[in-house]
Amino acid sequence: MASALPATTGGSTERHDTDALLRAASAPAYARTLHAVVDDLAQRFATVTQPFSGASRVELQSLVDAVDLDARGLGTDDALREVADLYAGHAVWFHDPGYTAHLNCPVAIPAVAAEAMLAAINTSVDTYDQSAVATLMEQRLIEWTASRIGFPTGSPEAADGVFTSGGTQSNFQAMFLARQKARAAGAALDRLRILATGASHFSVAKSALLLGLADDAVVEVAVDATGRMRPDALARALAELASAGDTVMAVVATAGTTDRGRIDPLEPIAELCEAAGAWLHVDAAYGGGLLVAPRRRHLLAGIERARSVTIDYHKTFFQPVSSSALIVRERADLLPVAWHADYLNPLENLEPNQVDKSLQTTRRFDALKLWTTLRALGADGIGAMVDAVCDLAEQVHAEIERDADFVLVAPTDISTVLFRYEPAGIDEQHADALVAQVRRVLFDSGRALVAKTVIDGRPALKLTLLNPDVSLDQVMAVMELVRTAAQGLRAGEQLLDDDAPPCRTAAHPRLQRVTETEGAR
């Protein structure tokens, strides 16, 4: 049978490229190469005019498939030129004012510089003998974050934590720790329950699945009209589960729901959790930046009473992906994660090995980015940017409420905007159908990216504002594109039920490829 492996030249004596690996002799090549990449990217940042090229999926797939990954090497310079055209030329640019879709932020320059430093040195912060000072710097940042939360610090029993790849991993680890605590107390696995609202992040339900909990382990707690957890509903759920003989292993409160940007009432939730002896986890992946926001820190009052907290620095701390952390109020809560291997972190090792409290082994020194940003901008400087995006969202809300063509769907505590194009005379079914179609028209044009979601059973368009340098006028320009697209769709011969736009007009010059787009689905 013929081998499926790529052909090789047997017995080849060809020498490898001695400038390929970063070392002392190749340092000049490294400097020249990185300067060229930075110069190219700086030019792109300065000249980009829309958040996406508008290339169809068929076109992009064709470009990707045309690259022969088994071919002879091009050399570093040509390879980087090729990848710049392919990737950077068709990337989604989060810094552009037309990008308003998801929880993606423009990144702080000092963090990007630190990213280059940590990538080149390639530290792994799993064990001290691979990281040395990097481990100590990460631990200092964990302590800093804990103190901002209001957790006790400075003693062997005090707060601790670890950097993770993102909110999903942080939430999963928190649920694992809560499960282990409940199991150690004698609770049966199939009787463990997690209380959360329907607006909690999907990773909560996914964690229950991965942790082997029962299919009905996640019990939904009712929310009020604004999307916040109702303490009375939580109290009732706690009592009912206790009566049924179930164990509430965790209550998940959200500080910044993905769609509405709402913060659950943390103080009364904490009261109920303390009375019931339930682990309170606060998912502040989105709202964690409020910890440093001078004018909005009070919105997180009560977070200090949680048992564990998720923070995504790559959202409202303006860090490059990935940069997240799980913080626990008591260091001992991390013990169930520890696993010792003779070749890596033997039990008798007294060094501060981070692998003892991480779900990962090899792990990047992502803490360096936040460290550098704090030293460059200061916590108040980061917080001022958080306040700025929240201010911007308030201004956009006010503009939408004054516009007869739009309906504001829900208020927010942070920086999301939920709305529909729903002028007088349009029925709900028609308005709902426009949501997906408007989003697709704008995406295919590349001129603006907005998100879509479902609120109270109806689709809605969503702006997520995480760029403190975008002006109200620039956001309203996106709203005008939404209006124009919706008006064009209404004037078309038919409205399609799927996401594909039914018309291609001069206003959207890249949208003449409806057949290709549908063929890619």
Side-chain angles (χ1 to χ4, degrees):
M1 184 176 66
S3 171
L5 296 175
T8 58
T9 304
S12 172
T13 58
E14 182 179 350
R15 290 177 56 83
H16 70 274
D17 181 355
T18 56
D19 278 345
L21 300 181
L22 181 50
R23 57 196 182 94
S26 62
Y30 159 75
R32 176 183 57 76
T33 300
L34 267 291
H35 278 111
V37 171
V38 169
D39 288 345
D40 178 72
L41 283 174
Q43 178 68 14
R44 292 177 188 271
F45 270 95
T47 58
V48 67
T49 58
Q50 57 186 49
F52 176 55
S53 68
S56 73
R57 193 187 312 174
V58 169
E59 290 174 323
L60 294 179
Q61 190 66 60
S62 177
L63 291 173
V64 170
D65 291 345
V67 177
D68 183 359
L69 296 177
D70 290 317
R72 186 182 182 86
L74 302 174
T76 299
D77 292 344
D78 286 343
L80 284 169
R81 277 190 289 269
E82 178 186 82
V83 84
D85 288 340
L86 178 60
Y87 168 53
H90 298 289
V92 176
W93 297 94
F94 303 143
H95 76 284
D96 187 87
Y99 184 85
T100 61
H102 301 289
L103 282 164
N104 307 114
C105 60
V107 291
I109 290 176
V112 176
E115 180 82 56
M117 187 185 300
L118 71 92
I121 298 174
N122 201 31
T123 293
S124 179
V125 286
D126 47 337
T127 61
Y128 183 77
D129 63 351
Q130 298 175 70
S131 59
V133 71
T135 283
L136 306 182
M137 293 170 74
E138 177 176 319
Q139 289 185 328
R140 176 74 183 280
L141 275 176
I142 292 293
E143 184 178 23
W144 174 83
T145 305
S147 68
R148 285 280 175 167
I149 291 170
F151 284 171
T153 59
S155 72
E157 299 79 25
D160 200 359
V162 66
F163 271 66
T164 70
S165 64
T168 294
Q169 184 185 339
S170 294
N171 287 342
F172 175 76
Q173 183 165 347
M175 293 302 97
F176 170 77
L177 298 175
R179 187 196 71 173
Q180 296 304 94
K181 182 176 184 295
R183 293 283 283 146
L189 185 66
D190 63 346
R191 303 308 296 268
L192 295 180
R193 299 292 181 264
I194 300 171
L195 291 174
T197 72
S200 66
H201 195 259
F202 74 86
S203 58
V204 175
K206 188 173 183 179
S207 295
L209 172 67
L210 295 174
L211 291 171
L213 305 187
D215 291 343
D216 58 351
V218 180
V219 178
E220 186 172 324
V221 180
V223 297
D224 61 23
T226 71
R228 295 189 180 108
M229 181 185 286
R230 285 171 41 191
D232 64 319
L234 174 61
R236 186 163 54 252
L238 287 166
E240 290 173 353
L241 290 171
S243 297
D246 294 325
T247 298
V248 176
M249 74 174 220
V251 173
V252 179
T254 307
T257 54
T258 303
D259 283 335
R260 298 178 191 242
R262 296 306 257 174
I263 299 171
D264 289 333
L266 302 180
E267 288 281 13
I269 291 172
E271 290 278 356
L272 292 166
C273 289
E274 289 167 7
W279 181 298
L280 172 58
H281 175 66
V282 175
D283 178 3
Y286 181 10
L290 296 172
L291 291 172
V292 294
R295 291 186 281 110
R296 289 180 172 83
R297 172 60 178 85
H298 65 279
L299 294 176
L300 296 181
I303 194 172
E304 72 282 356
R305 300 172 70 175
R307 193 71 180 247
S308 57
V309 176
T310 287
I311 304 286
D312 269 10
Y313 306 109
H314 56 230
K315 290 186 173 68
T316 45
F317 282 78
F318 308 98
Q319 298 299 290
V321 173
S322 60
S323 186
S324 178
L326 173 68
I327 313 294
V328 296
R329 188 172 59 193
E330 298 178 17
R331 181 164 297 152
D333 283 338
L334 287 173
L335 289 176
V337 178
W339 196 277
H340 297 277
D342 289 338
Y343 63 86
L344 187 68
N345 60 330
L347 190 60
E348 65 274 12
N349 194 343
L350 299 179
E351 294 175 340
N353 292 320
Q354 304 278 72
V355 72
D356 296 350
K357 53 189 176 181
S358 174
L359 298 180
Q360 299 170 259
T361 304
T362 302
R363 189 161 54 83
R364 303 176 80 244
F365 182 30
D366 286 316
L368 183 66
K369 297 176 287 191
L370 179 61
W371 179 286
T372 308
T373 305
L374 282 170
R375 295 300 297 139
L377 306 180
D380 287 348
I382 299 172
M385 293 192 290
V386 177
D387 274 331
V389 295
C390 296
D391 290 344
L392 179 59
E394 289 181 357
Q395 294 165 9
V396 175
H397 276 227
E399 291 292 327
I400 289 176
E401 288 182 319
R402 287 191 288 266
D403 195 310
D405 283 346
F406 295 111
V407 172
L408 190 65
V409 173
T412 187
D413 292 318
I414 313 181
S415 64
T416 55
V417 180
L418 292 163
F419 68 99
R420 288 187 201 92
Y421 175 78
E422 201 166 340
I426 190 173
D427 60 74
E428 286 189 2
Q429 184 178 4
H430 195 168
D432 290 353
L434 281 172
V435 169
Q437 296 166 18
V438 165
R439 175 195 168 274
R440 175 57 62 183
V441 165
L442 296 181
F443 180 84
D444 282 355
S445 74
R447 297 175 65 188
L449 272 67
V450 300
K452 63 175 182 178
T453 189
V454 176
I455 301 294
D456 297 331
R458 291 188 63 193
L461 290 166
K462 181 175 74 168
L463 310 181
T464 307
L465 305 176
L466 283 180
N467 189 339
D469 294 322
V470 167
S471 68
L472 176 61
D473 287 345
Q474 288 172 318
V475 178
M476 296 316 297
V478 173
M479 294 297 296
E480 285 304 311
L481 288 175
V482 170
R483 190 197 317 270
T484 300
Q487 290 171 341
L489 287 161
R490 292 190 72 194
E493 294 182 356
Q494 62 179 355
L495 290 170
L496 301 182
D497 291 332
D498 61 16
D499 284 3
C503 61
R504 307 281 178 164
T505 71
H508 305 293
R510 296 196 62 92
L511 300 185
Q512 68 274 19
R513 297 178 302 271
V514 64
T515 302
E516 295 179 7
T517 303
E518 291 188 350
R521 288 197 178 94

